[in-house]
Amino acid sequence: MLLEFYGLECPHCESMKPLVEKLRKEGVAVESFEVWHDKNNLAKLQEYDKGYCGGVPFFINPQTGKWICGEASYEELKNIAQ
C-alpha cells in the first residue's frame, strides 16, 4: 500500500505518474490525493507528512512508515511500497 500526495500543476508530480501507473499495473495498491486544490487532501497530507517533506510529490507507506519526498526512481518507489 502506498499513498501518493501530488499537486495538479506540479511538474515533479507529473514526471512520477508513469512510475505510479507501473506500480499499479504490477498489483501495488496506490491511493492518490491531489492537495493543491483539495483542502481535505491537504489536511491528510499534513497528517502523514509530520514535517518530513512539506511539499509534493510525497509518498508514504502507512503500514511501514517508509516515505519519499520529491522525485524518485522506480526501484525506490517500489521498495517503500513493500
Side-chain angles (χ1 to χ4, degrees):
M1 158 69 74
L2 194 61
L3 303 181
E4 172 196 24
F5 296 92
Y6 70 97
L8 196 56
E9 297 88 3
C10 170
H12 305 287
C13 302
E14 189 66 29
S15 69
M16 294 301 294
K17 277 186 179 183
L19 305 182
V20 171
E21 285 308 311
K22 185 175 179 182
L23 282 177
R24 285 186 173 126
K25 286 179 183 175
E26 292 181 358
V28 176
V30 181
E31 290 186 46
S32 298
F33 301 92
E34 198 290 324
V35 300
W36 286 4
H37 300 280
D38 187 311
K39 291 180 183 179
N40 292 330
N41 288 346
L42 178 58
K44 185 180 284 284
L45 167 63
Q46 293 167 341
E47 173 188 334
Y48 282 101
D49 186 329
K50 298 179 182 152
Y52 299 139
C53 186
V56 292
F58 178 67
F59 300 89
I60 188 164
N61 181 326
Q63 296 161 334
T64 65
K66 293 180 183 177
W67 56 273
I68 293 176
C69 179
E71 292 186 52
S73 70
Y74 175 75
E75 292 76 23
E76 291 170 312
L77 207 53
K78 188 171 183 174
N79 182 50
I80 72 158
Q82 298 174 351

